Amino acid sequence: MFKWTNFFRGFAMGVTETVPGVSASTIAMLMGIYEQLLGSLSDITKGNIKRALGFLIPLGIGMVFALLIAAKFIKYLLAEHPIPTMFLFVGLVVGILPFLWRSAHAETNKRFKSYHYGFILVSFTLMALTSLIGEPVETVITDFNAGTYIYLFFSGVLASMALVLPGISGALVLMVLGAYYTAISALDSLHLPVIAAIGLGVVFGVLFTSRVIRYFLKTYTQATYSIMLGLVAGSILVIMPSSLPDSFLYGLVTFFTFLAGLVTALTFGRAERT
């Protein structure tokens, strides 16, 4: 039986996938469906397809709708109002950190040990270092051949980590690989071969990665959560705008977008806790 409320959750995840630095799996965790997502993806590889599809199909439809609709909208907001838009996502990411911290301790009823803090520091540093990546050339691939589609497929495989590993942004991975603007352009113009090449790569990659992450969550729960905490905290530096508002009114708008993201995340986090 399909769980159609997942359409709206998938829509929220899809919107974030168009923004470099924001992870769809972070939003899934915020909405309390992260472990269900991993479990359903794992079910597919184990043959429990009917149960998995009841959860994943509405989620996937929501994500596809969001990607098609949000591509233009997010592109406009990032072009015309980048600072308030990115501070909205900064607020969301900051707000999920308390939820992650509680989850890490609730799963085992144990405190972090010193090496867990080391994992947090290392993963935070590695994620923060991606903020040093220079502005990419906004190149859209127009010359397509077999090699191009293979390249786009493997770009999708690498970007699929974003669906199962909080803190890692699929859009950022595509940007680093030089495929981000091609992907956004394809969504904008409905260039189906490009969408299919990247999409198949994402599907292939996510089925494999989900099993790996689920294993580590079950076997090394606190260590995995500590790495997630570092990655999510480090992503704040990645999505933080390089410039600040240049007027009081624009600063006020930015403050309220940050607050909206923060309150939303904290509210969802408390709801999930109860």
Side-chain angles (χ1 to χ4, degrees):
M1 184 176 179
F2 294 137
K3 191 173 181 181
W4 287 107
T5 53
N6 279 345
F7 172 87
F8 301 102
R9 296 185 176 102
F11 192 90
M13 291 170 64
V15 169
T16 63
E17 276 305 292
T18 62
V19 182
V22 184
S23 169
S25 53
T26 302
I27 303 302
M29 186 166 281
L30 176 64
M31 295 184 294
I33 61 168
Y34 179 66
E35 292 193 13
Q36 285 179 281
L37 175 62
L38 290 183
S40 295
L41 292 170
S42 180
D43 279 342
I44 290 180
T45 62
K46 293 178 180 178
N48 300 322
I49 296 176
K50 185 177 180 180
R51 181 173 63 182
L53 294 183
F55 179 87
L56 291 174
I57 285 180
L59 195 76
I61 292 174
M63 289 190 71
V64 170
F65 264 84
L67 287 170
L68 295 175
I69 294 170
K72 286 186 178 181
F73 185 58
I74 294 296
K75 192 175 180 181
Y76 166 78
L77 286 178
L78 289 175
E80 302 297 328
H81 307 286
I83 298 175
T85 302
M86 294 312 295
F87 266 97
L88 170 68
F89 290 107
V90 169
L92 282 170
V93 175
V94 171
I96 199 178
L97 290 174
F99 169 73
L100 278 174
W101 181 268
R102 290 194 302 267
S103 297
H105 293 80
E107 292 289 332
T108 59
N109 290 317
K110 295 179 181 178
R111 294 179 178 273
F112 275 162
K113 296 180 180 178
S114 56
Y115 63 86
H116 291 131
Y117 292 103
F119 288 151
I120 293 175
L121 180 61
V122 171
S123 57
F124 173 87
T125 303
L126 290 175
M127 176 56 67
L129 285 174
T130 64
S131 65
L132 300 179
I133 298 172
E135 288 294 322
V137 178
E138 298 184 15
T139 302
V140 176
I141 298 172
T142 55
D143 183 19
F144 296 100
N145 51 48
T148 305
Y149 287 116
I150 292 172
Y151 158 72
L152 292 173
F153 173 82
F154 281 105
S155 295
V157 171
L158 293 174
S160 70
M161 293 186 297
L163 289 174
V164 292
L165 190 59
I168 301 292
S169 161
L172 182 63
V173 171
L174 290 177
M175 186 170 281
V176 171
L177 294 172
Y180 175 73
Y181 290 100
T182 300
I184 286 293
S185 177
L187 289 170
D188 194 11
S189 61
L190 286 181
H191 193 297
L192 295 182
V194 171
I195 294 173
I198 297 175
L200 287 172
V202 169
V203 171
F204 179 84
V206 81
L207 291 176
F208 170 76
T209 312
S210 62
R211 295 195 68 176
V212 175
I213 299 300
R214 197 179 189 205
Y215 167 79
F216 278 100
L217 270 175
K218 286 191 171 185
T219 311
Y220 306 102
T221 304
Q222 284 196 309
T224 305
Y225 267 109
S226 63
I227 292 172
M228 288 180 179
L229 271 165
L231 290 173
V232 173
S235 70
I236 295 171
L237 298 182
V238 177
I239 62 178
M240 184 72 71
S242 57
S243 57
L244 296 175
D246 55 5
S247 69
F248 174 77
L249 182 59
Y250 203 48
L252 196 61
V253 171
T254 300
F255 170 76
F256 278 114
T257 57
F258 169 80
L259 195 62
L262 179 65
V263 170
T264 299
L266 291 175
T267 301
F268 272 106
R270 283 195 295 268
E272 175 60 17
R273 189 183 182 186
T274 57

